[in-house]
Amino acid sequence: MYRTVTRCRVCKSSELEKYLDLGNTPLVNKLPMSSSERIERYPLEVLFCKECALSQLSIVVSPEVLYASNYPYYSSVSKTFREHCHQMALDLEAMLPMIQHPYGNKFPTVSDIASNDGCLLEEFRKEGFVVSGFEPCKELAAVSTSKLIGTVNDFFTEECAKNYSSSRHFVTATNVFAHVDDVQDFLRGIPYLLDKSGVLVIEVPYLVDMIQKNEFDTIYHEHLSYFLLKPLVRLFRDAGIPIFKVDKLSIHGGSIRIYASQTPYEKHESVDRMLNDESAYHHISAYYDFRRQVRIVVDNLDELLESLHKQGKRVLGYGASAKGVNLMNYCKLTTNDVQAIVDETLTKQGHYIPGCNIPIVSFAEFGNKPDYIVLFAWNFAAELMEKTKHLGAKYIIPIPNVEIV
Ligand code: JHZ
Ligand code: ZN
């Protein structure tokens, strides 16, 4: 079911030092159908590579187990994320004049890896792009296909890419690269899809944000790597697709978008600037305090929820996000603490939070007026608060520090 990591995924060094141990925790997107279902737990430890500064988990759970079927996360549920995707389509459209494509830019083309329910590709299509996707989860691939988006139901590997050779302007991959174990193989697949002058655009959560903003709940078995720019620069250079630009984004608690190409486009100053800005995190000493920060959040949330329980308050959660499931497990929450979790994703409703047995319910549950709402999808706090402001409840925002607003 899993393999143990002995060498760094990027540079192959065995100089790996553990800086965080979060114990044995359940898989965050395997949502049981009943409260009696047996839950598997796996070790969750983060290692730092002293050679290239990549943070990575100590184990790799089989991707077949994690993603091949019933992956319950639908990107389109969040309006904020859809807007982010639309902006990305506009940003890439603006780059078209730079790309010397053999067929010109009349019909710009993009292929999205791990295209989920087609959320990003729909936004590209609105801008006139010809779109296609790769999605390993069979149910999600079917949803995306039903939106008339050509979708290959497979994991993206070099082997897979060989069968879909094309000459796209762009290949995109948002929130998937951290989930990939054999990153070199993934990158070997890219030139099959991408025109020589085309651009590979990847978005990943940024490790500096994770450490600075206490986002330890984003550490779970799907996220194998926690990226700084430094290991990415090395990896993409070695793969022959060097990074020429990087943007800082606010999505998902702080992410970076990297632009890479086989064509040597002029290197933007953002690359060296970010490498310089993040340099403190190139050393293991920057991570020693993280463990203590994690403990403070867990203790504070536990204490607050216990006191609300004693006062007989009604507390609901909003967002059965992967990170929320994680946080609920670190805090060992039960229905005494949070009576139910509201999530508008149909594939999550009717299930339970693994390890905590808290039911996941529809938005209608807010009709039974909560006194407090815990925002487990704190990255979408503004959107969640806007949708529930009529309830007059107080909000608990757990990250970066437990706060009541
Ligand atoms: P959300 C995701 O993690 C997915 P998660 C993935 N694991 C990844 O890598 C990271 O992002 C970066 C619900 N919701 O997006 C939908 C509503 O019900 O923060 C989701 O279940 N109503 C691949 O799972 C959850 O909340 C709403 O209005 O931590 C949000 O999950 C909104 C806005 C959300 O990501
Ligand atoms: Zn390394």
Side-chain angles (χ1 to χ4, degrees), residues 158-389:
E158 182 183 14
E159 210 39 51
C160 164
K162 277 181 185 166
N163 302 318
Y164 302 97
S165 197
S166 56
S167 184
R168 313 243 174 238
H169 291 84
F170 295 103
V171 172
T172 51
T174 63
N175 301 307
V176 61
F177 202 59
H179 302 55
V180 176
D181 186 15
D182 191 344
V183 284
Q184 285 83 3
D185 176 71
F186 183 101
L187 292 180
R188 278 196 302 274
I190 299 297
Y192 289 97
L193 301 189
L194 199 58
D195 184 67
K196 188 111 197 335
S197 68
V199 180
L200 169 64
V201 185
I202 291 189
E203 289 186 5
V204 287
Y206 190 38
L207 179 60
V208 173
D209 287 297
M210 184 183 102
I211 301 287
Q212 287 182 348
K213 294 187 256 167
N214 255 346
E215 297 164 352
F216 65 92
D217 53 347
T218 63
I219 301 173
Y220 46 85
H221 300 98
E222 292 179 13
H223 292 163
L224 303 176
S225 305
Y226 302 83
F227 288 110
L228 296 173
L229 183 58
K230 180 180 165 170
L232 288 167
V233 164
R234 174 177 181 150
L235 177 67
F236 283 66
R237 184 197 62 210
D238 292 353
I241 319 173
I243 295 173
F244 62 89
K245 184 174 185 245
V246 59
D247 292 337
K248 186 81 190 60
L249 308 166
S250 61
I251 198 77
H252 287 310
S255 300
I256 51 174
R257 177 192 293 166
I258 56 172
Y259 302 80
S261 179
Q262 291 169 278
T263 291
Y265 292 116
E266 191 187 340
K267 191 167 84 175
H268 194 262
E269 51 84 26
S270 53
V271 177
D272 288 334
R273 183 158 37 90
M274 190 176 286
L275 284 172
N276 186 48
D277 289 350
E278 69 174 29
S279 60
Y281 294 90
H282 298 162
H283 305 280
I284 177 80
S285 54
Y287 303 86
Y288 288 141
D289 204 37
F290 194 48
R291 199 181 324 214
R292 197 179 57 82
Q293 292 177 211
V294 171
R295 205 58 259 164
I296 293 173
V297 173
V298 171
D299 289 348
N300 288 351
L301 188 59
D302 272 342
E303 213 171 284
L304 173 62
L305 293 176
E306 200 182 314
S307 120
L308 295 178
H309 175 59
K310 283 192 187 135
Q311 295 167 45
K313 299 292 185 194
R314 181 168 163 73
V315 182
L316 294 179
Y318 199 176
S321 58
K323 56 189 158 298
V325 171
N326 223 0
L327 185 57
M328 289 180 234
N329 272 278
Y330 298 144
C331 296
K332 300 194 172 54
L333 301 189
T334 67
T335 46
N336 282 339
D337 306 295
V338 178
Q339 280 86 72
I341 309 294
V342 171
D343 196 295
E344 283 147 292
T345 316
L346 298 178
T347 44
K348 294 188 179 183
Q349 293 169 9
H351 293 250
Y352 289 80
I353 301 296
C356 299
N357 284 331
I358 304 173
I360 304 171
V361 297
S362 73
F363 194 85
E365 184 67 22
F366 281 136
N368 304 316
K369 291 261 167 109
D371 299 303
Y372 289 82
I373 300 174
V374 189
L375 300 182
F376 287 108
W378 43 259
N379 47 323
F380 296 130
E383 183 175 347
L384 301 183
M385 286 159 82
E386 178 61 30
K387 283 165 87 169
T388 51
K389 64 179 182 207

Side-chain angles (χ1 to χ4, degrees), residues 56-200:
Q56 53 209 301
L57 292 192
S58 65
I59 64 162
V60 176
V61 177
S62 153
E64 292 289 338
V65 170
L66 293 175
Y67 311 113
S69 64
N70 293 317
Y71 191 64
Y73 182 75
Y74 281 58
S75 308
S76 293
V77 172
S78 160
K79 181 166 161 268
T80 311
F81 189 68
R82 292 197 307 272
E83 286 166 0
H84 169 80
C85 290
H86 189 72
Q87 187 56 49
M88 183 172 184
L90 296 178
D91 292 348
L92 300 201
E93 195 176 15
M95 288 179 81
L96 281 170
M98 179 188 96
I99 300 175
Q100 298 301 313
H101 193 271
Y103 315 122
N105 297 329
K106 206 166 171 200
F107 297 108
T109 47
V110 60
S111 206
D112 187 36
I113 299 174
S115 51
N116 197 273
D117 59 359
C119 180
L120 176 62
L121 290 174
E122 282 185 286
E123 301 304 323
F124 272 109
R125 195 159 57 179
K126 285 181 195 162
E127 293 306 310
F129 279 76
V130 175
V131 302
S132 59
F134 290 81
E135 170 51 51
C137 170
K138 64 172 188 279
E139 293 83 3
L140 280 167
V143 169
S144 155
T145 305
S146 74
K147 295 175 180 172
L148 303 180
I149 295 171
T151 308
V152 176
N153 177 209
D154 205 351
F155 288 93
F156 185 79
T157 58
E158 182 183 14
E159 210 39 51
C160 164
K162 277 181 185 166
N163 302 318
Y164 302 97
S165 197
S166 56
S167 184
R168 313 243 174 238
H169 291 84
F170 295 103
V171 172
T172 51
T174 63
N175 301 307
V176 61
F177 202 59
H179 302 55
V180 176
D181 186 15
D182 191 344
V183 284
Q184 285 83 3
D185 176 71
F186 183 101
L187 292 180
R188 278 196 302 274
I190 299 297
Y192 289 97
L193 301 189
L194 199 58
D195 184 67
K196 188 111 197 335
S197 68
V199 180
L200 169 64

